[in-house]
Amino acid sequence: IEINPWLSRKGSLDKPDFMIFDIDPAGVKFPIVVDVAKALYELLESIGISSVIKTSGKRGLHLYTNLAGKYSHEESRNFAEAIAKLMEAKFPKLISLERSPAKRKNKIYIDYLQNRQGQTTASVYSCRPTKFASVSTPLEISELNAKLDPTEFTIMNTLERIEKKGDLWGGLFENEVNLREVLKKLQIRKSL
């Protein structure tokens, strides 16, 4: 049973709890997807944004940041778009912001539009409709390597993984993003 929630909750539907970067490949080998996710993670860290990475349960990866319901969907989407454009400029041969898979063959789409109100995405620990019942699973940063295979996380081993590693998703709530402070840092860097 797949669960695809909004990024906000009842009582504050206009203020998302999370900002998401959905890394969606089209004809790209998964180790390249991993490299792009790692580069995005490092970019976010370099500007003071902590994130948690999870498998989508299918072929992509998701990076989530904790907005703590402080910003609108529009602010979140605009910020995510700016970051996606930075990534596209840095890796033009690997990344495209073209939404249509047919028009972006052999490139990775960083889907910042997932940050619109009403958009849904596979929930953490959600089972996906795949052959082996894969599960959208949070990862440690050290697991972002060439050996990563998102199909290995299934309903048969996810509970054991949580017992062994703990709830890696819980780390998301430790650091709230202050978009205004991050924007100030970016402006200072731009002026240098």
Side-chain angles (χ1 to χ4, degrees), residues 27-34 108:
V28 177
K29 293 182 180 179
F30 197 71
I32 297 171
V33 177
V34 168
I108 295 168

Side-chain angles (χ1 to χ4, degrees), residues 6-114:
W6 281 23
L7 296 175
S8 57
R9 65 181 90 186
K10 183 179 175 181
S12 60
L13 293 177
D14 295 334
K15 302 280 187 169
D17 294 305
F18 310 110
M19 177 171 47
I20 180 176
F21 296 90
D22 182 356
I23 300 171
D24 184 14
V28 177
K29 293 182 180 179
F30 197 71
I32 297 171
V33 177
V34 168
D35 289 343
V36 167
K38 199 169 196 175
L40 177 56
Y41 177 88
E42 290 168 356
L43 170 63
L44 293 173
E45 285 285 317
S46 77
I47 57 174
I49 297 178
S50 295
S51 62
V52 172
I53 301 168
K54 70 177 185 67
T55 65
S56 69
K58 289 191 174 178
R59 61 185 183 171
L61 294 169
H62 297 156
L63 275 79
Y64 275 73
T65 63
N66 178 9
L67 295 180
K70 293 181 179 178
Y71 307 97
S72 69
H73 286 279
E74 183 180 6
E75 289 169 315
S76 172
R77 188 200 60 78
N78 289 342
F79 187 85
E81 180 180 9
I83 295 296
K85 285 180 177 178
L86 282 174
M87 290 293 292
E88 182 183 39
K90 188 171 183 177
F91 303 104
K93 292 182 180 179
L94 295 177
I95 296 172
S96 171
L97 297 187
E98 172 58 54
R99 197 161 170 79
S100 169
K103 293 181 181 176
R104 64 174 157 93
K105 290 181 182 175
N106 303 319
K107 289 196 175 182
I108 295 168
Y109 175 52
I110 298 179
D111 189 353
Y112 60 87
L113 294 174
Q114 290 286 42

Side-chain angles (χ1 to χ4, degrees), residues 1-5 20 53-64 121-130 133-139 150-155 157-158 161-162 167 169:
I1 298 173
E2 188 174 64
I3 301 170
N4 292 274
I20 180 176
I53 301 168
K54 70 177 185 67
T55 65
S56 69
K58 289 191 174 178
R59 61 185 183 171
L61 294 169
H62 297 156
L63 275 79
Y64 275 73
T121 191
S123 176
V124 64
Y125 301 120
S126 176
C127 181
R128 303 301 304 274
T130 61
S134 55
V135 173
S136 181
T137 304
L139 304 169
T151 64
E152 290 183 1
F153 305 105
T154 70
I155 61 170
N157 60 22
T158 298
R161 176 181 167 84
I162 295 169
D167 179 14
W169 190 248

Side-chain angles (χ1 to χ4, degrees), residues 161-179:
R161 176 181 167 84
I162 295 169
E163 287 173 9
K164 183 179 177 182
K165 293 190 175 285
D167 179 14
L168 299 176
W169 190 248
L172 181 61
F173 302 96
E174 294 172 8
N175 298 298
E176 296 176 11
V177 175
N178 185 330
L179 290 181

Side-chain angles (χ1 to χ4, degrees), residues 132-149:
F132 300 106
S134 55
V135 173
S136 181
T137 304
L139 304 169
E140 295 175 325
I141 189 64
S142 62
E143 292 177 295
L144 272 186
N145 59 52
K147 295 178 185 176
L148 179 63
D149 178 358

